[in-house]
Amino acid sequence: MRTTFYSSQSIYSDPGPYRETLMRGGVEPGSMAGWISSFIQHPRGGPSEEGGFTPEQAADLELRSVAEILSVAVKRGLLEGDAVQPKVGGVCRDFAILAVSSFRARGIPARLRVGFADYPLPGHFEDHWICEWHDGGRWRRFDVQFAAIEGLSVDSLDVPRERFLTASEAWFRIKDAPEIASRFGVASLDLGGAWFVAGSLLRDMAALRKLELKPWDYWGPAENLSRVSAEWSQEAWDTFDQLASRLGHADIDGEGEPEALADWPLPERVISFPHGEPLAVVLRQS
């Protein structure tokens, strides 16, 4: 397989000293998803609804790198089947970046995509992050979090384009129909609207440039954006329109970093909301 920008690790996807541990998950997507699900637990998933989500797991949501996530999993004995210790708390982004890391460790191009899926909750486009990986012929959209769940209405190993909208696709969808903007977000937290999609544009841009952030990270034009879109300045609308357009036309199938995104500034710090309250985070640069 050809070498591309997406076949090497990033700052946050690098497993560090846990590369051999990561390889235990296998290369076949279904097995990989099952392995990841054996030690990651979503705060709003079925296991959490049945058995709860501990403060220790809530603290895990601040983990950013694959090396950090695997370090916690190893320390708790989760990869050896310890059922007493709590699984590592994580969201869709964390499931997905572990798969991205696993593919990249084998020289297979992979990346995070930030967008909205229509299958977790009927009638709603839920904020969702997936893994895109290149099978030698095309990019496949792999929903790592849902791949281990039975009875899903979509092929989680190869999610159809119409079932997962990227952030830019969602942006233009709500631009054409502003009345549906509230359907894009996190329904269970009552979060949604154009402001949410705007933040997703920035996070998808960063992910495509191999800076894999967290779903609650904000910076730049999205940091102080009003949740009432009618209060936005024309400059804000123009900024997000431009970014959405660039994302839609970026050559993300090429060999290197997408040129259409290369001059868009990446953050050195973000305002993050892992627990609902703002937290300033300085990002790793190397």
Side-chain angles (χ1 to χ4, degrees), residues 81-131:
D82 190 335
V84 176
Q85 294 293 322
K87 291 184 178 182
V88 182
V91 293
C92 52
R93 176 265 189 195
D94 304 307
F95 285 81
I97 198 173
L98 282 158
V100 166
S101 179
S102 183
F103 282 121
R104 288 176 179 172
R106 295 171 169 84
I108 300 172
R111 61 202 180 197
L112 283 186
R113 292 309 305 269
V114 181
F116 300 85
D118 72 350
Y119 47 87
L121 183 65
H124 193 80
F125 284 93
E126 193 76 0
D127 173 52
H128 204 45
W129 297 44
I130 62 173
C131 165

Side-chain angles (χ1 to χ4, degrees), residues 84-229:
V84 176
Q85 294 293 322
K87 291 184 178 182
V88 182
V91 293
C92 52
R93 176 265 189 195
D94 304 307
F95 285 81
I97 198 173
L98 282 158
V100 166
S101 179
S102 183
F103 282 121
R104 288 176 179 172
R106 295 171 169 84
I108 300 172
R111 61 202 180 197
L112 283 186
R113 292 309 305 269
V114 181
F116 300 85
D118 72 350
Y119 47 87
L121 183 65
H124 193 80
F125 284 93
E126 193 76 0
D127 173 52
H128 204 45
W129 297 44
I130 62 173
C131 165
E132 278 190 338
W133 68 283
H134 203 279
D135 67 1
R138 67 180 178 89
W139 288 97
R140 291 179 178 267
R141 290 182 171 175
F142 171 26
D143 189 331
V144 188
Q145 179 189 345
F146 283 92
I149 299 176
E150 297 181 357
L152 199 65
S153 64
V154 67
D155 181 359
S156 57
L157 302 183
D158 194 6
V159 178
R161 292 300 198 260
E162 66 271 14
R163 305 300 302 275
F164 176 88
L165 302 181
T166 63
S168 62
E169 291 168 340
W171 178 258
F172 289 119
R173 181 78 65 93
I174 66 171
K175 283 276 288 184
D176 291 339
E179 68 277 5
I180 68 171
S182 62
R183 294 167 54 193
F184 289 78
V186 183
S188 62
L189 300 179
D190 195 26
L191 299 174
W195 69 273
F196 196 106
V197 181
S200 295
L201 288 171
L202 287 165
R203 291 184 286 270
D204 195 38
M205 177 276 296
L208 286 172
R209 295 179 63 192
K210 289 171 59 177
L211 178 62
E212 298 95 354
L213 300 175
K214 300 289 269 191
W216 40 76
D217 287 345
Y218 290 84
W219 73 96
E223 189 170 327
N224 298 304
L225 199 63
S226 169
R227 296 192 181 190
V228 180
S229 58

Side-chain angles (χ1 to χ4, degrees), residues 253-271:
D253 294 334
E255 292 285 338
E257 181 177 359
E259 291 185 5
L261 305 176
D263 65 342
W264 201 282
L266 289 172
E268 295 183 357
R269 59 170 287 280
V270 295
I271 299 299

Side-chain angles (χ1 to χ4, degrees), residues 11-12 62 64 68 211 213 217-218 267-272 279-286:
I11 291 173
Y12 289 115
E62 296 184 40
R64 289 181 173 267
E68 290 171 330
L211 178 62
L213 300 175
D217 287 345
Y218 290 84
E268 295 183 357
R269 59 170 287 280
V270 295
I271 299 299
S272 193
L279 176 69
V281 176
V282 176
L283 301 173
R284 288 172 51 185
Q285 301 299 319
S286 61

